[in-house]
Amino acid sequence: MRGILVIAAAFLLAVCVAAEGEKEYVLTLDHSNLTDTVAKHNFIVLEFYAPWCGHCKSLAPEYEKAAAELSSHDPPIVLAKYDASDEANRALATQYEIQGFPTIKILRDGGKKVQDYNGPREADGIVAYLKKQVGPASPEIKSKEDAANLIDEKKIFVVGIFPEASGEKFENYLTLAEKLRAEINFAHTVDAKLLPRGGPVDKPTLRLLKPFDELFVDFEDFQVDAMEKFIAEASIPVVTVFDNDPNNNEYVNKFFDGTNSKALLFVNFSSELEAFKSKYNDVAKLYKGEGVSFLLGDVEAGEGAFEYFGLKPEQAPLIVIMGTDDQKYLKDHVEPDAIAAWLKDYKDGKLKPYVKSQPIPETNDEPVKVVVRDTLQDMVFNSGKNVLLEFYAPWCGHCKKLAPILDEVAVSFESDPDVLIAKLDATLNDLPKDQFDVQGFPTMYFKSASGKLSQYDGDRTKEAIIEFIEKNRDKPVHSDSAKTDSAKDEL
């Protein structure tokens, strides 16, 4: 038996040694060699990761598999990784504006050009995506076979049509293709008849092929900024569909990334879609180019949107407008024929903004008082008191840790009628952004009795918070203590 165990142990050791000896194709970089390594490569892919990140751990074997396959590409495509959570590595990670993990960047020309990687996260997808990225930004279409191989009928595709591949317009086009190659697929041709849609042209033309609306649209201004703006606008459907179809995700993301005001209509696709679809599309066409983008969403898929707006599915069919000034407008139980008139009222400035608020609490007798948006003005700004207001999120661990400390602070001021300790759930109540800048949780503001508003950024201890309140509080104008002091002054 002992002999068998010795053999087994030896076998396992051999396996481990073999595994340790396997070549790793992903380069591991740190602050000491990142800059020099990048400078040596015309094209290198760099993953910024953290060892504790679950998504990074899931990506790791796929990234390694892709690196192994791409190592035999001609020329080899190098994949590297960089632990951005390591203290010594953070300075360089900051230069690349890393906000989360994993983040993958494509670096060209020795790091002079940096692009976000927007491709798949599994090995085959990574390989296919990067092979396209390392080739020319705009390959030439010389035959119908080339067009069929390059153009995906289900995606946006941009083709530059030129009588000859030279001149200023062609060079501007190549500049644009290089700039946007990580987001859009490009190609060029001298013969428009090779393309699946659109007729022949006799002058330089930018043709955008798309799987929705009019299926293709031509453009003739070859200034780089003008072409980029055209592609951004033409790549969004007249009405973006938001449902459970993953093919629509790309367009939904573009819709929300856009700078226009946003109109969102939610209906039950199973029973109400046909009644609303054509009417809503007509309205969207009417306002095209006037600063409003349109989305038609399925109530079933819009659970997150309803939660964000503080609405309930039974309010559908409903339409919401998100203005560029952060104001929101809402009409629930809307009829198809009423949408056009309601949009006109919005454009004419006749609608009253919708403000999300939790219901006013029936009882509010805990030491830390509950404020909602509908009571914010009375309980904080018009109260005449010194108010410490916490903005929190129910899921926030730091908020949960702060809660018992705020309770102790509130108890210590219970007998003081001039001080109020309060909290507001910032996930369920809209905030006046001109007064409160809440970028994370918890965030605390102090409003003195005289109206001075300041953000608290001290230690989150009972002693520090009480000391801050005592130092910054004012005597309420109408309080009994103020009247008593005034009377003493007169004597």
Side-chain angles (χ1 to χ4, degrees), residues 103-375:
T103 295
I104 305 176
K105 301 281 186 177
I106 296 174
L107 288 73
R108 303 175 190 273
D109 298 341
K112 295 176 183 176
K113 298 177 182 177
V114 181
Q115 293 177 329
D116 290 330
Y117 171 90
N118 296 316
R121 298 294 177 94
E122 41 79 27
D124 290 343
I126 294 172
V127 169
Y129 184 90
L130 290 178
K131 282 183 176 179
K132 284 187 177 180
Q133 293 299 312
V134 80
S138 175
E140 185 176 2
I141 294 175
K142 299 179 180 179
S143 65
K144 286 186 177 291
E145 288 74 22
D146 287 344
N149 290 332
L150 286 170
I151 298 173
D152 185 341
E153 297 283 338
K154 294 181 179 180
K155 294 186 176 294
I156 301 290
F157 200 97
V158 176
V159 184
I161 307 168
F162 301 92
E164 54 184 64
S166 61
E168 182 182 356
K169 291 184 177 180
F170 182 70
E171 293 302 321
N172 285 350
Y173 164 78
L174 290 182
T175 299
L176 176 76
E178 188 66 47
K179 181 179 181 181
L180 300 183
R181 65 182 297 163
E183 306 165 30
I184 301 287
N185 289 316
F186 289 86
H188 61 273
T189 186
V190 297
D191 188 356
K193 290 183 290 186
L194 299 176
L195 304 180
R197 295 190 290 277
V201 293
D202 57 4
K203 54 187 173 182
T205 301
L206 193 71
R207 177 165 295 170
L208 186 143
L209 306 171
K210 51 185 177 178
F212 52 79
D213 296 339
E214 66 272 47
L215 300 182
F216 81 93
V217 58
D218 289 347
F219 190 70
E220 296 177 1
D221 185 345
F222 277 84
Q223 297 299 312
V224 174
D225 290 346
M227 286 189 288
E228 186 171 0
K229 182 180 179 182
F230 159 72
I231 291 172
E233 293 178 352
S235 297
I236 299 176
V238 172
V239 174
T240 299
V241 176
F242 177 37
D243 56 12
N244 291 318
D245 184 351
N247 290 321
N248 290 327
N249 291 347
E250 174 186 350
Y251 308 115
V252 172
N253 290 335
K254 287 182 178 180
F255 172 86
F256 283 107
D257 287 343
T259 57
N260 284 346
S261 295
K262 297 167 180 62
L264 303 91
L265 173 65
F266 287 96
V267 303
N268 289 294
F269 276 21
S270 58
S271 59
E272 299 169 326
L273 181 60
E274 292 308 315
F276 281 88
K277 189 175 181 180
S278 61
K279 296 278 187 182
Y280 194 55
N281 200 64
D282 289 343
V283 173
K285 289 179 180 178
L286 183 65
Y287 287 97
K288 187 174 182 179
E290 294 194 24
V292 184
S293 298
F294 292 80
L295 178 143
L296 179 59
D298 186 5
V299 171
E300 183 180 334
E303 181 179 345
F306 280 89
E307 184 176 335
Y308 172 79
F309 289 114
L311 303 171
K312 297 178 180 179
E314 49 265 32
Q315 291 178 262
L318 65 86
I319 184 169
V320 179
I321 291 179
M322 302 169 62
T324 55
D325 56 357
D326 289 328
Q327 297 278 28
K328 292 185 281 290
Y329 306 85
L330 178 145
K331 183 174 180 63
D332 58 5
H333 304 295
V334 65
E335 296 290 337
D337 291 333
I339 294 174
W342 192 75
L343 258 294
K344 185 177 186 304
D345 285 344
Y346 162 72
K347 293 292 287 184
D348 292 344
K350 296 180 180 179
L351 298 183
K352 181 180 179 181
Y354 163 77
V355 178
K356 178 174 66 174
S357 175
Q358 287 179 284
I360 297 174
E362 294 183 6
T363 58
N364 206 355
D365 51 11
E366 295 296 322
V368 177
K369 305 306 178 186
V370 175
V371 174
V372 300
R373 177 57 195 263
D374 286 345
T375 61

Side-chain angles (χ1 to χ4, degrees), residues 60-75:
E62 299 295 322
Y63 197 62
E64 177 65 32
K65 184 178 177 182
E69 184 170 343
L70 290 169
S71 67
S72 60
H73 185 270
D74 186 20

